[in-house]
């Protein structure tokens, strides 16, 4: 119907209303101007926030700044470990929930959603208390890197794997169980069926869920802040302390690096998940 | 679906790791926190101990938390979260509408533009906002460039609310987009054909049908706002605390963990109350599922 009218004239052509376009542009400005200026000023010669010329100095300085470098490598190591474990745990839980009926299943599903709905700060302080009371906070202090980050990794797995389970489960809905039966009829064991039939089918959701866990872990400040000891500073925790004391363009440079890493992970996740979407009911 | 009894080994292999993790690193810590909220610091040899507590000895933490100064922080958190949620809704609804009614070629790009900032680290985004808002910040530089009067919004209420909207807007856009996209456009055509004006169509047809998305969006924005402390800490400063800042303070500088635990549980009860209201509301409304 809209095709016969002039573009932008149809009663349902809300997308071409001028006021909506202006609003859209203003919101995009609101969302992106701060980030764009943060990135732009990572290339600034001066540290006062007034543009004085283009340089890569801040990146070089941030790279040689031990505190920033170790915070960034801690963050990446934590994200890497948390991603692997969260993906495995999340996929296993999703498989169990998809395949079996068992008593108290609905309450169990609600229970799994708890880390998603409970305020981060509550989970953070609960873990801080748990680690300090069980002695885990001090025990890991002198362990070799990255084992000294184990408390943070454990915390990140705890809040990431339910998200992975959600992603994997939505993929499993589209699985044809006859494939599994066929595999077993042809003599495959439970394990062979799993590795040769189910895992390949799940692969897109495993990658997407894993990348989700990766960004969740890189993103987290609150829970990390409470569950980290003084020697295990992550990048967000480092920015937090620097924002409270000194602001230097080196933070801008390191932030830009982290933004690029996260956005790359997001784009890969979207590319991989895109073909899976139409199969969802 | 298989019965777990027929494949016990598979069932337990799949269930154990996740359940174990949830029990040990979520339920047990929460249990510790719950016990602590009913505890007081132990007195050892006449001095208040730092590490020992008298467990399950008192409810004073909750009584103290109900005292006016902390109720103010909770009330403020509720009020500011509500304002931020309403502002996000007012912005996100037309935006989601615009995305849904744009050409199919543009739709994914526009949606991506709106939700992309969500993937960027919360602290980096807050830090970016500080650089914009501070006295010599980019906002004032821009205002100065156009010879407009300078503003000083950092460390004020408006900065906190702006920060909350900035951070949580994508959470509002997504559920709204998914309901509006599923909305059967012929209802709108029918309403318009039958002579209803655009505003009338909106209030009587569009809004009621997209109500589930609106409710989900409100929940997704309101709940994290309620528990946030970073935004009010960095953009609001000490005069603009919310309940989250009080919790952080009790576990940090003030070093009264039992009291902080009680505040945490009050925040959790507030969160669950909001979820309960949502469950009640969704049971009653019949629209496009979010």
């Amino acid at each position: 119907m809209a095709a016969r009218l002039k573009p932008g004239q149809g009663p349902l052509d809300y997308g071409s209303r001028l006021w909506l376009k202006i609003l859209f542009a203003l919101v995009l400005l609101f969302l992106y101007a701060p980030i764009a200026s943060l990135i732009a000023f990572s290339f600034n010669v001066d540290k006062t926030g007034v543009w004085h010329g283009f340089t890569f100095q801040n990146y070089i300085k941030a790279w040689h700044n031990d505190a920033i470098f170790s915070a960034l490598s801690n963050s990446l190591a934590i994200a890497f470990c948390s991603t692997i474990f969260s993906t495995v745990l999340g996929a296993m839980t999703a498989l169990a929930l998809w395949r079996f009926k068992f008593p108290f299943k609905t309450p169990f599903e609600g229970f799994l959603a708890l880390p998603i709905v409970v305020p981060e700060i509550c989970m953070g302080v609960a873990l801080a208390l748990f680690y300090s009371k069980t002695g885990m906070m001090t025990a890991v202090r002198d362990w070799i890197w990255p084992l000294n980050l184990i408390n943070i990794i454990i915390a990140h797995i705890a809040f990431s794997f339910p998200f992975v389970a959600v992603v994997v489960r939505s993929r499993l809905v589209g699985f044809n169980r006859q494939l599994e039966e066929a595999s077993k009829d042809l003599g495959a064991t439970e394990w062979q069926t799993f590795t040769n039939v189910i895992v390949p089918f799940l692969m897109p959701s495993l990658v997407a869920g894993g990348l989700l866990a990766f960004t969740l872990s890189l993103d987290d400040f609150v829970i990390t802040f409470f569950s980290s000891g003084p020697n295990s500073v992550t990048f967000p925790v480092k920015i937090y302390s620097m924002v409270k004391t000194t602001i230097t363009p080196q933070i801008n440079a390191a932030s830009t690096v982290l933004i690029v890493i996260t956005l790359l992970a997001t784009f890969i996740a979207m590319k991989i998940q895109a073909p899976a979407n139409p199969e969802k009911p | 679906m298989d019965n777990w009894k027929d494949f016990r080994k598979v069932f337990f292999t799949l269930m154990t790791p996740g359940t174990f993790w949830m029990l040990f690193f979520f339920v047990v810590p929460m249990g510790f926190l719950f016990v602590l909220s009913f505890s007081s610091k132990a007195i050892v040899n006449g001095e208040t101990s730092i590490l020992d507590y008298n467990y399950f000895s008192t409810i004073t933490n909750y009584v103290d938390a109900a005292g006016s100064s902390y109720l103010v922080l909770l009330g403020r958190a509720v009020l500011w979260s509500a304002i931020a949620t309403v502002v996000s809704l007012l912005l996100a609804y037309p935006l989601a509408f615009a995305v849904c009614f744009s050409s199919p070629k543009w739709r994914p790009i526009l949606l991506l533009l709106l939700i992309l900032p969500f993937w960027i680290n919360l602290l980096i985004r807050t830090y970016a906002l500080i650089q914009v808002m501070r006295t010599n910040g980019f906002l004032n530089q821009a205002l100065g460039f156009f010879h407009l009067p300078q503003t000083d919004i950092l460390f004020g209420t408006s900065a906190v609310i702006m920060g909350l909207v900035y951070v949580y807007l994508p959470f509002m856009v997504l559920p709204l987009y998914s309901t509006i996209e599923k909305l059967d456009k012929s209802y709108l055509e029918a309403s318009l054909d039958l002579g209803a004006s655009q505003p009338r169509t909106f209030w009587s047809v569009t809004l009621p049908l997209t109500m589930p998305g609106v409710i989900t969006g409100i929940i997704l924005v309101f709940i994290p706002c309620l528990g946030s402390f970073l935004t009010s800490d960095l953009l609001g400063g000490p005069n603009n605390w919310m309940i989250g800042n009080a919790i952080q303070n009790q576990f940090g500088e003030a070093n009264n963990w039992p009291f902080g635990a009680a505040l945490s549980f009050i925040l959790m009860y507030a969160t669950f109350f909001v979820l309960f209201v949502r469950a009640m509301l969704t049971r009653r409304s019949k629209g496009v599922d979010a």
Side-chain angles (χ1 to χ4, degrees):
Chain A
M1 168 196 145
R4 268 180 278 125
L5 292 156
K6 257 196 236 164
Q9 298 294 305
L12 288 179
D13 272 340
Y14 300 107
S16 27
R17 299 285 151 91
L18 185 63
W19 70 272
L20 267 181
K21 283 183 173 169
I22 294 172
L23 182 72
F24 211 101
L26 285 177
V27 168
L28 288 187
L29 184 73
F30 169 64
L31 286 178
Y32 287 96
I35 297 167
S37 56
L38 179 138
I39 294 175
F41 275 78
S42 70
F43 298 107
N44 191 12
V45 172
D46 195 62
K47 40 171 99 168
T48 55
V50 182
W51 187 256
H52 277 283
F54 184 90
T55 178
F56 279 113
Q57 262 317 307
N58 298 317
Y59 286 84
I60 297 161
K61 274 191 206 151
W63 182 264
H64 290 294
N65 181 330
D66 286 342
I68 291 180
F69 184 81
S70 82
L72 205 52
S73 49
N74 280 352
S75 276
L76 289 171
I78 292 165
F80 186 74
C81 299
S82 157
T83 301
I84 292 172
F85 282 95
S86 309
T87 311
V88 174
L89 252 69
M92 287 171 88
T93 312
L95 278 165
L97 286 171
W98 163 76
R99 180 165 162 187
F100 295 108
K101 49 174 189 261
F102 52 91
F104 304 110
K105 188 171 172 177
T106 316
F108 183 80
E109 287 170 337
F111 166 70
L112 268 187
L114 276 178
I116 303 177
V117 296
V118 161
E120 275 189 300
I121 189 162
C122 299
M123 190 168 164
V125 295
L127 281 165
L129 175 69
F130 175 75
Y131 287 148
S132 77
K133 278 281 131 192
T134 52
M136 283 170 76
M137 193 73 99
T138 45
V140 303
R141 194 176 288 163
D142 301 319
W143 291 5
I144 52 152
W145 192 87
L147 282 179
N148 59 351
L149 305 169
I150 193 109
N151 287 341
I152 307 176
I153 296 171
I154 287 173
H156 284 204
I157 297 168
F159 70 74
S160 302
F161 94 84
F163 283 95
V164 179
V166 171
V167 174
V168 175
R169 225 184 145 186
S170 74
R171 168 96 185 157
L172 276 168
V173 171
F175 181 68
N176 184 354
R177 283 210 72 180
Q178 284 168 341
L179 291 175
E180 194 189 346
E181 283 162 25
S183 156
K184 284 182 186 162
D185 279 352
L186 293 168
T189 61
E190 193 77 59
W191 176 250
Q192 284 171 326
T193 309
F194 177 72
T195 51
N196 293 321
V197 179
I198 296 177
V199 170
F201 175 80
L202 284 183
M203 208 31 106
S205 69
L206 293 180
V207 177
L211 286 165
L212 178 65
F214 186 76
T215 40
L216 281 174
S217 168
L218 274 189
D219 258 7
D220 183 72
F221 166 73
V222 179
I223 291 169
T224 314
F225 179 70
F226 287 103
S227 54
S228 63
N231 294 333
S232 46
V233 172
T234 67
F235 187 66
V237 176
K238 184 71 199 161
I239 306 182
Y240 179 75
S241 63
M242 285 179 96
V243 166
K244 291 232 145 180
T245 52
T246 47
I247 292 187
T248 86
Q250 289 174 38
I251 315 179
N252 293 40
S255 302
T256 307
V257 172
L258 199 64
I259 291 175
V260 171
I261 294 173
T262 342
L263 291 188
L264 273 179
T266 311
F267 275 118
I268 296 170
M270 281 175 179
K271 276 271 173 270
I272 289 168
Q273 231 189 353
N277 273 339
E279 289 171 34
K280 275 204 274 180
Chain B
M1 229 178 262
D2 296 333
N3 194 322
W4 70 281
K5 282 180 189 155
D6 303 334
F7 300 88
R8 276 171 203 264
K9 230 166 87 186
V10 183
F11 177 74
F12 284 114
T13 317
L14 289 177
M15 283 292 277
T16 311
T19 315
F20 167 84
W21 215 272
M22 278 291 286
L23 282 179
F24 269 83
F25 304 115
F26 186 79
V27 177
V28 171
M30 283 295 170
F32 274 41
L33 195 70
F34 186 73
V35 172
L36 192 74
S37 73
F38 289 102
S39 308
S40 60
K41 290 193 173 184
I43 310 286
V44 182
N45 302 330
E47 281 178 45
T48 312
S49 165
I50 305 166
L51 290 171
D52 294 310
Y53 301 98
N54 289 326
Y55 295 107
F56 271 130
S57 60
T58 175
I59 57 159
T60 46
N61 297 316
Y62 286 96
V63 177
D64 288 349
S68 61
S69 59
Y70 290 96
L71 275 190
V72 167
L73 295 184
L74 183 64
R76 190 187 274 166
V78 171
L79 179 69
W80 289 1
S81 306
I83 296 173
T85 310
V86 170
V87 173
S88 311
L89 180 64
L90 292 179
L91 284 176
Y93 202 99
L95 294 178
F97 224 78
V99 175
C100 288
F101 285 90
S102 60
S103 71
K105 197 181 78 185
W106 277 95
R107 212 172 293 159
I109 300 166
L110 292 177
L111 184 67
L112 184 65
L113 278 175
L114 286 178
I115 60 170
L116 198 59
F118 159 73
W119 297 101
I120 296 171
N121 192 297
L122 171 67
L123 224 117
I124 293 178
R125 283 185 291 162
T126 313
Y127 171 61
L129 275 186
I130 293 176
Q131 292 196 316
V132 170
M133 288 177 180
R134 66 190 167 142
T135 319
N136 292 324
F138 308 131
L139 180 67
N140 277 337
Q141 286 179 25
L143 289 173
F145 185 77
F146 294 108
H147 301 289
L148 290 165
Q150 305 275 298
T151 62
D152 210 1
I153 53 170
L154 190 60
F155 303 130
T157 309
S158 54
V160 178
I161 291 173
M162 247 175 86
L164 291 175
V165 173
Y166 184 76
V167 169
Y168 295 112
L169 188 66
F171 289 128
M172 186 63 92
V173 172
L174 269 182
L176 284 176
Y177 171 79
S178 70
T179 33
I180 297 173
E181 203 211 2
K182 279 188 231 159
L183 174 73
D184 189 345
K185 273 74 183 176
S186 53
Y187 286 127
L188 307 191
E189 283 169 3
S191 164
L192 291 168
D193 281 353
L194 292 169
S197 61
Q198 287 277 7
R200 178 80 204 275
T201 305
F202 176 76
W203 288 110
S204 313
V205 181
T206 318
L207 190 60
L209 283 174
T210 51
M211 216 28 152
V214 173
I215 295 171
T216 308
I218 288 174
I219 296 292
L220 287 184
V221 174
F222 188 78
I223 285 182
C225 280
L226 202 58
S228 72
F229 85 98
L230 194 66
T231 313
S232 42
D233 185 18
L234 293 180
L235 300 178
N239 296 325
N240 290 292
W241 272 14
M242 290 159 64
I243 184 92
N245 303 89
I247 296 173
Q248 189 218 352
N249 184 251
Q250 295 302 327
F251 277 84
E253 283 158 40
N255 198 18
N256 187 351
W257 288 31
F259 185 51
L263 290 176
S264 303
F265 268 91
I266 290 173
L267 174 60
M268 271 189 266
Y269 295 140
T271 308
F272 289 133
F273 177 73
V274 175
L275 288 172
F276 172 75
V277 171
R278 182 245 154 106
M280 291 291 107
L281 283 176
T282 38
R283 192 172 293 177
R284 274 175 34 200
S285 73
K286 301 181 195 79
V288 187
D289 207 8

